[in-house]
Amino acid sequence: MDYWNEMALFVEVAEAQGFTKAAAKLDMPQSTLSRKISELEKSLGLQLLSRSTRRVGLTEAGARYLERVRPIVEEARRIHDELGGMLLRPHGVLRVSLPVDFSYEFLAPLLPEFAAQYPEIGLEMDVTPRKADLVGEPFDLVIRAGEQPDSGYVATLLMKADFYLYAAPTFLDKHGVPPSPQEVNPAHCLRFPALPVWRLADAAGNTAEIAAQSPYAVNSMGMLTRMAAQGLGIALVPQMGAAAQYEAEGRLQRVLPGWSAPPVPVYAMTATRLLPAKVKCFIEFVKARAGVAD
């Protein structure tokens, strides 16, 4: 027997002091409601309601049963209302694991706007290069860059990071502006260990490859951008954060502006598609700022 359902139905009948009003409130046939209560009484071995043609009242056992189960039913309703509200009103603590460069170069400048728009959402961010475990660790979502293997997680595209070549104007004044990929000196190309060969393409579909051979290497795109801004060489970095800022300020200049590397996708990974409002709002906020349409 579904004890929770029968308890809730009994409370409705007791509060309405009859089957007719309770059935109307529940949008349930009166005969079905009466049968459910009879089944409850049969399972308990006690009569809970005294029935007559004029009224329905509580027996002594019914009054005691109502006293005990009403708080249980009301608490269950409050829990359901609260959890249901999470789908409508974004609030609570959102725990996110995200890559270092994404957090610094893209997300950090957006946090004041997010906080103003969603004041009831708290953020706990684990900024790390490691791949967090959604099942074994207490994260609502993790953010990962690059194409993801089939892991059983749900992947939602947040953005596609466009990669371009940048160098400081002082560097280009000293070494010259290369007119084509073939004339880029590999020794001037700052190295990112995970991307040793730069694969470039232009709008006409022409392709080129450059093997970065600078004596300087770093595993952070943010640091790579800042190294380029200091005149240490040419960097292949995403057009966001420091790169966009330095370009606007004139501290960095696009090299071979007609050429670019394939964009890198950034995904929000969740364990399920059934997401509370705080997670949905964060994902939609980031997508909107990145210009990704649904």
Side-chain angles (χ1 to χ4, degrees):
M1 169 175 279
D2 184 356
Y3 288 107
W4 152 249
N5 187 47
E6 313 304 343
M7 286 164 49
L9 294 178
F10 171 77
V11 170
E12 292 290 353
V13 173
E15 290 179 344
Q17 297 183 345
F19 287 96
T20 303
K21 290 182 179 179
K25 181 180 178 180
L26 295 167
D27 193 23
M28 175 184 292
Q30 185 173 333
S31 59
T32 301
L33 180 58
S34 178
R35 176 173 55 79
K36 293 285 187 181
I37 299 303
S38 295
E39 291 174 356
L40 175 63
E41 290 176 319
K42 183 177 180 181
S43 69
L44 292 171
L46 294 168
Q47 185 177 354
L48 302 176
L49 298 173
S50 58
R51 302 162 175 81
S52 70
T53 55
R54 293 185 178 182
R55 62 184 298 272
V56 173
L58 293 170
T59 63
E60 181 180 353
R64 185 171 180 181
Y65 189 73
L66 178 64
E67 180 183 359
R68 298 294 296 274
V69 303
R70 178 186 274 156
I72 298 173
V73 172
E74 289 178 349
E75 178 64 16
R77 285 173 178 163
R78 280 194 293 270
I79 293 171
H80 277 255
D81 289 343
E82 178 182 338
L83 293 177
M86 291 175 67
L87 294 173
L88 303 174
R89 180 174 59 88
H91 70 285
V93 177
L94 178 64
R95 296 175 176 85
V96 187
S97 178
L98 62 165
V100 177
D101 285 320
F102 178 85
S103 64
Y104 291 162
E105 302 301 315
F106 181 79
L107 185 60
L110 301 179
L111 290 180
E113 182 184 356
F114 182 81
Q117 189 168 337
Y118 300 106
E120 294 187 61
I121 298 180
L123 276 176
E124 290 186 3
M125 294 173 284
D126 176 45
V127 179
T128 175
R130 71 182 181 86
K131 291 187 176 181
D133 181 4
L134 268 173
V135 176
E137 299 181 70
F139 293 114
D140 296 295
L141 66 101
V142 300
I143 294 175
R144 293 177 181 166
E147 294 297 343
Q148 300 299 310
D150 185 7
S151 61
Y153 296 151
V154 178
T156 302
L157 180 66
L158 293 178
M159 64 183 299
K160 287 188 176 181
D162 295 315
F163 278 66
Y164 299 106
L165 299 177
Y166 290 94
T170 54
F171 178 89
L172 296 174
D173 289 342
K174 180 179 179 179
H175 298 281
V177 178
S180 68
Q182 290 74 22
E183 296 183 59
V184 174
N185 187 343
H188 292 165
C189 299
L190 299 171
R191 289 184 290 125
F192 185 74
L195 192 64
V197 177
W198 300 353
R199 292 177 172 85
L200 308 175
D202 65 7
N206 300 307
T207 61
E209 291 188 357
I210 302 171
Q213 297 175 16
S214 166
Y216 303 109
V218 64
N219 66 345
S220 164
M221 286 289 175
M223 182 65 176
L224 204 65
T225 303
R226 288 157 176 82
M227 289 166 62
Q230 294 300 319
L232 291 174
I234 301 172
L236 179 63
V237 293
Q239 189 186 39
M240 65 170 69
Q245 178 185 339
Y246 292 165
E247 183 180 12
E249 295 172 352
R251 298 171 61 186
L252 280 179
Q253 180 179 324
R254 284 274 299 275
V255 179
L256 301 176
W259 294 76
S260 63
V264 174
V266 178
Y267 294 97
M269 312 291 292
T270 56
T272 175
R273 295 185 187 276
L274 300 175
L275 304 174
K278 62 182 180 181
V279 178
K280 288 183 177 179
C281 288
F282 181 82
I283 290 175
E284 293 306 316
F285 175 85
V286 173
K287 287 173 60 178
R289 298 309 173 277
V292 174
D294 290 328

